[in-house]
Amino acid sequence: MSSPATPRRIAIAIDGPASSGKGTMARLLAQELGYSYVDTGALYRVVGLRALGAGLDLGDGESVGALARALRLHFGWSERGLRVFEGEDDLSDAIRNERVGRAASDVAVLPAVRAALLGLQRALGAAGGVVVDGRDIGTVVLPDAALKVYLDADPAERARRRATELRAKGQDADEQAIFDELVARDAQDAGRAHAPLCQAADAVRVDSTGRTPAAVLAELVALARARM
Ligand code: CDP
């Protein structure tokens, strides 16, 4: 039994649209609480990357589903933070571009792909002491999470952030093109039939527009501590 002196190690689900700051906030929150962080978008991105590499039709549930089931996905840590692997390959950098983001969103529509990734995501969340970010964590993956956050931000600000992020990595960034891409991807993620992006009924909505990461973090830490 937990006593008030030994806080429960809870599962925290953070969902929201593209570039709403989920990754940054989930990482900082996990760090602050001494929890692990799981970036579920990275899994969909790896499926997208591998499907592109194999020349598959991204709309073909059968072949992309079979590919997703065959992938040996796992996370690891290095001095560079959370890394995602497929087999021996560290794909953490290769998945961070808009082409792969779009491919991830395309394959994420497929029920066979979602089913293939569900077990791993649930297993990673099961023990508690974890912050998991994605699109359907509070609704499908961890419906019993003690804290669910829906993190949103104004689309223009999200596009600005993504452009800054890409430029920092030395990539080209056309802010208007990124804005159009984010809006299209959100529409596809929210409009799909299976596990669409949406706020769980019991999620707390947090808007990060015009706020510093530190300010949003303080709000999230307070929400988490109240549930421990
Ligand atoms: O980093 P960003 O917010 O742009 O995206 P991401 O979290 O890396 O996710 C990439 C894509 O994977 C999303 O656009 C979704 O289509 C899909 N995804 C999903 O369907 N379910 C999740 N739990 C996580 C990601």
Side-chain angles (χ1 to χ4, degrees):
M1 275 283 278
S2 299
S3 71
T6 52
R8 282 195 303 147
R9 289 176 64 79
I10 60 172
I12 300 172
I14 303 187
D15 291 303
S19 284
S20 58
K22 298 183 304 295
T24 305
M25 297 321 308
R27 194 164 27 78
L28 292 173
L29 181 60
Q31 220 168 50
E32 179 72 26
L33 300 176
Y35 282 18
S36 50
Y37 162 48
V38 177
D39 169 13
T40 65
L43 302 175
Y44 288 91
R45 284 174 178 266
V46 169
V47 177
L49 176 73
R50 287 297 203 220
L52 285 171
L56 299 182
D57 169 0
L58 300 185
D60 178 3
E62 209 160 303
S63 62
V64 184
L67 172 97
R69 286 191 295 277
L71 293 178
R72 295 160 303 149
L73 295 162
H74 57 105
F75 288 103
W77 280 93
S78 80
E79 64 288 349
R80 299 172 68 197
L82 181 73
R83 313 294 292 174
V84 66
F85 293 84
E86 198 279 294
E88 300 289 298
D89 301 337
D90 180 345
L91 300 177
S92 317
D93 298 320
I95 59 172
R96 297 291 158 204
N97 60 65
E98 295 312 292
R99 177 167 173 259
V100 173
R102 186 57 197 230
S105 179
D106 288 344
V107 300
V109 168
L110 305 168
V113 168
R114 307 205 68 84
L117 299 182
L118 189 57
L120 172 60
Q121 296 176 81
R122 284 207 171 135
L124 290 168
V130 69
V131 183
V132 185
D133 95 61
R135 300 292 186 287
D136 61 339
I137 309 306
T139 50
V140 175
V141 177
L142 301 174
D144 299 326
L147 171 62
K148 300 178 185 179
V149 173
Y150 188 85
L151 189 61
D152 208 349
D154 171 69
E157 180 157 330
R158 291 192 277 122
R160 214 159 32 241
R161 287 180 191 164
R162 180 56 56 105
T164 307
E165 207 176 283
L166 292 173
R167 286 186 195 121
K169 286 192 271 181
Q171 295 181 29
D172 284 341
D174 171 349
E175 209 167 298
Q176 183 60 48
I178 290 172
F179 178 88
D180 295 343
E181 179 57 40
L182 288 185
V183 170
R185 186 140 65 87
D186 290 345
Q188 176 159 288
D189 288 345
R192 70 187 173 213
H194 296 273
L197 165 68
C198 69
Q199 182 175 342
D202 52 352
V204 182
R205 189 173 184 283
V206 173
D207 195 316
S208 70
T209 310
R211 300 171 68 193
T212 63
V216 178
L217 178 63
E219 182 176 356
L220 297 183
V221 170
L223 286 168
R225 295 215 190 280
R227 283 160 177 81
M228 291 173 179

